[in-house]
Amino acid sequence: MKASENPYNPGAGAPPPELAGRDGLLRQADTAIERARRGKPSKSFLMLGLRGVGKTVLLNELEQSAERNGCQTAMFETDPDRPLAAQIAPQLHRILLRLDRIKKAGADMHNAFGALRSFASVFKVQLGDFEFGLAGPAATGDLTLDLTDLLVAIGEAAKKRETAVIILVDEIQYVQKGDLSALIMALHKISQRQLPVLLFGAGLPQLAKLAGDAKSYAERLFDYPPIGPLDAESARLALTAPAKREFVAYAPEALDYVVEQTGGYPFFLQVWGSHCWDAAAKSPITLADAKRASAAAVTALDEGIFKVRLARLTERQRAYARVMAEFGGAPVNSSDIANAMGLSLSQAAPIRDELIKKGMAYSPERGLIGFTVPKFDEFMRRAVPAPKPPRKQVKK
Ligand SMILES: Nc1ncnc2c1ncn2[C@@H]1O[C@H](COP(=O)(O)OP(=O)(O)OP(=O)(O)O)[C@@H](O)[C@H]1O
Ligand SMILES: [Mg+2]
């Protein structure tokens, strides 16, 4: 079939032709946004899930929805190498400029610009010229206090203008630890004062284990809708709806086969759908087409994202990951991996931590480790020779 008419859209953050299986979540988020805008108590969201489940797509969707609802949004993808203050200040500046366009009497805008100005000066962030902003709380250099003051000032200005501020943060697991707890504490204050500021974050699942004091606040402050693979019905819809618009159908057994091969993972559904389109000569797409498409999809993934990820690993990280893959796709006990490598737990722990830091692996709970990319375990078993059993330590 014509490549120019291929409706599927595999790619990071690429809007899918059919956003399947997320209606409940979108409705929940819309309610949260609407409540915040009306000045009612409302909860922030942290959307946690593996690579390619559609987190960025959801954040984009929520951003648009918030804008349609008359809210002020700011979205950014976390840069692991920069402090949060430097990343969030320009976004908050943009929001303030937009709030300023909604004219209201009072000193609140002065106050908010003042808070931002002193925040920027203490954390050495360049923001361009400010028209005003001499009033407002003075920043102290303590991110928790200063971010709280700043968000409170912005929240008050938003409340007065009957709007809400929605901050959207992608790859939130890369926010540096101290910065993350500062952000959570600031949001905690905001929610106590019932100000219309919400955070929608997306990231890898290890985020749920937040450190220190921030943790107990975070549990109450946020909803954690798990973002996982689509159920079979939604996965079918993700494949069939875009094809149907081009007057193309799937044979039922082809559809079942693709759903099974992709495990319902959104990114894989786009990749497989796209290859099915290319493999089929005409509608309907048959099981034979789907099987050829599947082989092509696996090769494309191996050559593309999987090999790139493998190349980013050092020798010992690769060895660790290969042993992990021996245990299959689900998270595994890191002590089992250490054992299988003939290492002590403390010898293996730094390698595990490196893999987590690189975003290759995550720890869903203490002691467990899994790959952040679905199917990476299968790739490792295909691409890297099986590990040799560790040499037994000879007791003297
Ligand atoms: N609900 C959905 N239905 C169908 N396809 C989807 C859905 N959500 C996302 N996709 C597709 O999945 C792919 C990955 O989406 P996205 O980049 O948002 O994932 P992600 O979770 O942000 O991944 P990463 O962790 O790598 O950033 C895109 O090609 C997108 O079009
Ligand atoms: Mg993403």
Side-chain angles (χ1 to χ4, degrees), residues 340-378:
M341 294 179 80
L343 298 176
S344 69
L345 256 186
S346 58
Q347 286 170 319
I351 318 179
R352 180 202 60 201
D353 293 348
E354 289 161 17
L355 285 170
I356 292 178
K357 194 137 182 270
K358 279 196 171 163
M360 294 291 303
Y362 75 108
S363 173
E365 58 185 84
R366 224 184 137 76
L368 290 185
I369 183 157
F371 288 116
T372 55
V373 179
K375 284 184 179 286
F376 194 73
D377 62 308
E378 293 172 26

Side-chain angles (χ1 to χ4, degrees), residues 323 339-342 386-392:
V323 171
N339 274 339
M341 294 179 80
K388 294 193 189 78
R391 245 183 285 157
K392 288 265 180 310

Side-chain angles (χ1 to χ4, degrees), residues 1-59:
M1 292 185 290
K2 277 195 194 143
S4 59
E5 285 166 7
N6 191 329
Y8 299 100
N9 197 10
E18 176 77 24
L19 185 64
R22 305 295 191 209
D23 292 353
L25 176 66
L26 291 174
R27 259 200 311 277
Q28 201 187 340
D30 272 346
T31 307
I33 292 168
E34 180 64 19
R35 287 182 61 90
R37 204 178 56 79
R38 289 167 179 260
K40 296 210 154 50
S42 180
K43 261 187 167 182
S44 291
F45 271 46
L46 281 184
M47 301 185 287
L48 306 180
L50 299 184
R51 294 270 168 227
V53 290
K55 302 180 295 296
T56 302
V57 160
L58 279 168
L59 273 188

Side-chain angles (χ1 to χ4, degrees), residues 36-37 70-72 92-116 132 137 148-165 190 193-197:
R37 204 178 56 79
C71 300
Q72 315 302 318
L92 296 176
H93 187 200
R94 202 176 74 99
I95 283 187
L96 275 185
L97 292 172
R98 292 181 60 186
L99 284 176
D100 192 33
R101 278 190 234 132
I102 313 171
K103 294 292 176 207
K104 284 272 168 173
D108 56 330
M109 259 352 275
H110 264 79
N111 196 42
F113 272 109
L116 180 63
F132 54 176
T148 302
D149 284 346
L150 180 54
L151 288 183
V152 166
I154 293 175
E156 277 169 350
K159 187 168 192 171
K160 195 164 190 184
R161 286 160 185 75
E162 291 166 9
T163 179
V165 169
I190 286 283
R193 303 194 39 173
Q194 293 212 7
L195 292 171
V197 179

Side-chain angles (χ1 to χ4, degrees), residues 53-220:
V53 290
K55 302 180 295 296
T56 302
V57 160
L58 279 168
L59 273 188
N60 286 327
E61 198 65 28
L62 296 184
E63 182 192 28
Q64 284 169 23
S65 163
E67 288 282 333
R68 275 198 303 273
N69 253 291
C71 300
Q72 315 302 318
T73 64
M75 179 160 166
F76 65 95
E77 179 182 326
T78 311
D79 175 345
D81 300 323
R82 291 171 66 214
L84 179 68
Q87 300 186 64
I88 205 168
Q91 299 297 334
L92 296 176
H93 187 200
R94 202 176 74 99
I95 283 187
L96 275 185
L97 292 172
R98 292 181 60 186
L99 284 176
D100 192 33
R101 278 190 234 132
I102 313 171
K103 294 292 176 207
K104 284 272 168 173
D108 56 330
M109 259 352 275
H110 264 79
N111 196 42
F113 272 109
L116 180 63
R117 164 176 284 198
S118 70
F119 183 91
S121 122
V122 163
F123 293 100
K124 306 204 169 29
V125 191
Q126 285 285 325
L127 289 180
D129 285 343
F130 278 39
E131 227 178 280
F132 54 176
L134 295 172
T140 60
D142 175 326
L143 185 64
T144 304
L145 296 178
D146 297 343
L147 196 56
T148 302
D149 284 346
L150 180 54
L151 288 183
V152 166
I154 293 175
E156 277 169 350
K159 187 168 192 171
K160 195 164 190 184
R161 286 160 185 75
E162 291 166 9
T163 179
V165 169
I166 317 288
I167 305 168
L168 303 111
V169 184
D170 205 358
E171 303 287 351
I172 196 166
Q173 78 281 358
Y174 288 137
V175 173
Q176 294 161 11
K177 214 180 212 169
D179 287 0
L180 188 63
S181 54
L183 181 61
I184 289 166
M185 305 288 246
L187 286 166
H188 179 61
K189 197 46 154 228
I190 286 283
S191 86
Q192 278 178 343
R193 303 194 39 173
Q194 293 212 7
L195 292 171
V197 179
L198 291 183
L199 175 81
F200 290 153
L204 293 174
Q206 76 252 24
L207 199 75
K209 316 176 304 162
L210 292 165
D213 295 342
K215 187 173 172 172
S216 60
Y217 294 133
E219 279 164 2
R220 278 171 285 139

